[in-house]
Amino acid sequence: MPQIQFPDFMAVTIGLVAYLIGEAINDRVPLLRRFNIPDAVTGGLLVALFFLALRQVGLVEVSFDTHARDLLLLIFFTGVGLNARIGDLLSGGKPLGILIAVTAALLVVQNVVGLAAAWITGLPAGMGVVFGSASLLGGHGTIIAWSPELTQRGLAGGPEIGIAMATLGLVVASVIGGPLGRALIGGNNLVSTETEVNPVGLSEGDTVEPITRNALMRTLLWIFTCITLGYLLQRTVLSFGLMLPLFVPCLIVGIIVGNVMPWVPFVRPISHTPALSLVSEFALGVFLAVSLMALQLWALAGMAGTLAAVLLVQTAIAVAISWFVVFRFLGRDYRAGVMSAGYASFVIGATPTAIATMTAVTKQYGPCQTAFIVLPLVSAVFVDLANALVVQGFLHLFAG
């Protein structure tokens, strides 16, 4: 069968097409818009299914170079940082602590469910982490990082099953958060009390100043400047032996710059401007569209039944915790509804799916600044370290 790998520029171009297809479909199918399914999810999954069909009939197998996609993630998180106010960060202290505590418990729960799945299917007990937090809360990056360790411990097929599990989790995460947000916010008649422009994307009916050429150019200049400073910060931190994903220092630099800007003479702030919201939405939307359309769905075929059964249980647990624990302990208000919707997507998929879910929810119901700061901090600062400790502990106990 012929194989084609599209270079990174073409991957982003096709991602734009996928995003616009998703937007057109969502506009014409009210049910999708009503349940807050992001445009990038609709379009990205549709394109992924199209390429799956091409492979299944034997025409061509398509893959993508996704390196350029990573720059979009940096642009997005830098924009989130530029929009963050110190007051938002301070008010997010309690939700951050709550989500860290809940996530610590969920790490263990996901691996216990994974152990049960391994036992039922007759697989080695060490495969529990593959069906659990290594693939779900960790995602593709974590399972790939742990592949040598899994192979060394004799868990044959572990990396492949883990990647398939993470892939299926990303798909499910993309569609569960929006309906959950609708149920929590609409069902409880919750409303946003904030008046600023959405931190990501513009809502229908927003009354904003025009996005001028000058505003767009200044916004891109400050974003790229923050990314450059973020890179230098990452290299500095690395010299002390601590490795952070590049989007974390970019987020931190964005927060600092965004809060210093109003105090600098002759510098026009870009925080909470329509231009920054639009750039952030573009970066996130195309990133997620490329991520989903690049999924090799045929990799799920070998263990589709087992993976689906395990993920059904893991998803039910994630939704239940988001609804009955996270929403309750965050205060049952509008902010709690937005963050609970994003959290459900995060613990089964990845941070970008959570942000896309919250973007779709806030575009319908109103802005929520704190949510876009707290969830990335949980995923970036806490999850990778805690997940590494939990996965290592489970492997030590159950895989010798």
Side-chain angles (χ1 to χ4, degrees), residues 84-96:
R85 295 173 175 172
I86 295 299
D88 295 331
L89 294 175
L90 295 176
S91 67
K94 181 179 179 181
L96 179 63

Side-chain angles (χ1 to χ4, degrees), residues 231-321:
Y231 173 78
L232 296 176
L233 176 60
Q234 184 200 43
R235 303 306 298 176
T236 302
V237 172
L238 184 61
S239 67
F240 291 97
L242 178 61
M243 179 61 192
L244 289 175
L246 183 53
F247 76 85
V248 177
C250 289
L251 175 68
I252 293 172
V253 170
I255 292 172
I256 295 172
V257 171
N259 281 274
V260 169
M261 261 189 186
W263 303 97
V264 179
F266 310 112
V267 173
R268 294 176 62 185
I270 63 170
S271 301
H272 302 283
T273 61
L276 182 56
S277 296
L278 184 62
V279 170
S280 297
E281 182 177 29
F282 159 78
L284 176 64
V286 178
F287 173 88
L288 189 56
V290 173
S291 298
L292 290 172
M293 75 183 195
L295 294 176
Q296 296 182 327
L297 296 179
W298 52 87
L300 304 176
M303 293 189 66
T306 300
L307 294 176
V310 176
L311 191 59
L312 179 63
V313 176
Q314 298 280 28
T315 302
I317 292 172
V319 171
I321 288 177

Side-chain angles (χ1 to χ4, degrees), residues 16 31 59 64 78 104 114-115 134-135 172 207 238 286 298 323 375 393 400:
L16 278 166
L31 184 66
L59 288 180
F64 296 92
T78 302
L115 283 174
S135 300
V172 173
T207 302
L238 184 61
V286 178
W298 52 87
W323 192 317
L375 265 184

Side-chain angles (χ1 to χ4, degrees), residues 29-395:
V29 182
L31 184 66
L32 296 175
R33 189 69 71 194
R34 189 157 55 246
F35 283 98
N36 306 304
I37 303 301
D39 299 332
V41 171
T42 302
L45 289 179
L46 186 63
V47 172
L49 290 171
F50 172 71
F51 288 131
L52 173 63
L54 291 181
R55 185 182 186 277
Q56 294 303 101
V57 300
L59 288 180
V60 65
E61 180 178 314
V62 175
S63 60
F64 296 92
D65 181 347
T66 58
H67 284 92
R69 175 197 64 177
D70 297 338
L71 174 60
L72 296 173
L73 189 66
L74 299 182
I75 292 173
F76 167 72
F77 276 109
T78 302
V80 171
L82 286 167
N83 261 327
R85 295 173 175 172
I86 295 299
D88 295 331
L89 294 175
L90 295 176
S91 67
K94 181 179 179 181
L96 179 63
I98 291 171
L99 290 184
I100 286 176
V102 172
T103 305
L106 187 59
L107 283 168
V108 177
V109 171
Q110 284 190 344
N111 288 317
V112 170
V113 172
L115 283 174
W119 177 73
I120 292 172
T121 56
L123 294 171
M127 292 291 285
V129 298
V130 175
F131 290 123
S133 69
S135 300
L136 297 178
L137 267 164
H140 289 84
T142 297
I143 199 67
I144 290 172
W146 280 92
S147 293
E149 181 81 5
L150 296 173
T151 302
Q152 182 180 344
R153 291 178 180 268
L155 300 174
E160 292 78 12
I161 294 173
I163 290 173
M165 186 73 178
T167 299
L168 190 58
L170 192 63
V171 173
V172 173
S174 300
V175 297
I176 64 171
L180 177 61
R182 174 180 170 81
L184 291 174
I185 296 172
N188 292 283
N189 298 314
L190 304 176
V191 295
S192 171
T193 58
E194 300 181 17
T195 58
E196 294 91 348
V197 172
N198 258 329
V200 183
L202 300 175
S203 302
E204 293 294 331
D206 275 349
T207 302
V208 297
E209 70 262 23
I211 300 175
T212 65
R213 177 181 61 186
N214 181 269
L216 186 60
M217 296 292 281
R218 285 190 299 105
T219 298
L220 291 174
L221 174 61
W222 279 111
I223 288 175
F224 292 158
T225 300
C226 290
I227 291 175
T228 302
L229 295 174
Y231 173 78
L232 296 176
L233 176 60
Q234 184 200 43
R235 303 306 298 176
T236 302
V237 172
L238 184 61
S239 67
F240 291 97
L242 178 61
M243 179 61 192
L244 289 175
L246 183 53
F247 76 85
V248 177
C250 289
L251 175 68
I252 293 172
V253 170
I255 292 172
I256 295 172
V257 171
N259 281 274
V260 169
M261 261 189 186
W263 303 97
V264 179
F266 310 112
V267 173
R268 294 176 62 185
I270 63 170
S271 301
H272 302 283
T273 61
L276 182 56
S277 296
L278 184 62
V279 170
S280 297
E281 182 177 29
F282 159 78
L284 176 64
V286 178
F287 173 88
L288 189 56
V290 173
S291 298
L292 290 172
M293 75 183 195
L295 294 176
Q296 296 182 327
L297 296 179
W298 52 87
L300 304 176
M303 293 189 66
T306 300
L307 294 176
V310 176
L311 191 59
L312 179 63
V313 176
Q314 298 280 28
T315 302
I317 292 172
V319 171
I321 288 177
S322 299
W323 192 317
F324 297 109
V325 179
V326 174
F327 182 63
R328 176 183 177 183
F329 282 96
L330 289 183
R332 298 177 180 267
D333 56 7
Y334 178 73
R335 182 180 68 177
V338 174
M339 294 179 67
S340 297
Y343 188 78
S345 293
F346 158 58
V347 298
I348 293 296
T351 305
T353 57
I355 300 297
T357 292
M358 294 192 299
T359 299
V361 170
T362 55
K363 285 177 72 174
Q364 179 171 351
Y365 294 105
C368 181
Q369 310 292 332
T370 307
F372 289 89
I373 295 297
V374 172
L375 265 184
L377 287 177
V378 174
S379 63
V381 178
F382 172 75
V383 166
D384 286 342
L385 177 59
N387 204 11
L389 296 174
V390 172
V391 169
Q392 185 66 54
F394 270 78
L395 288 176

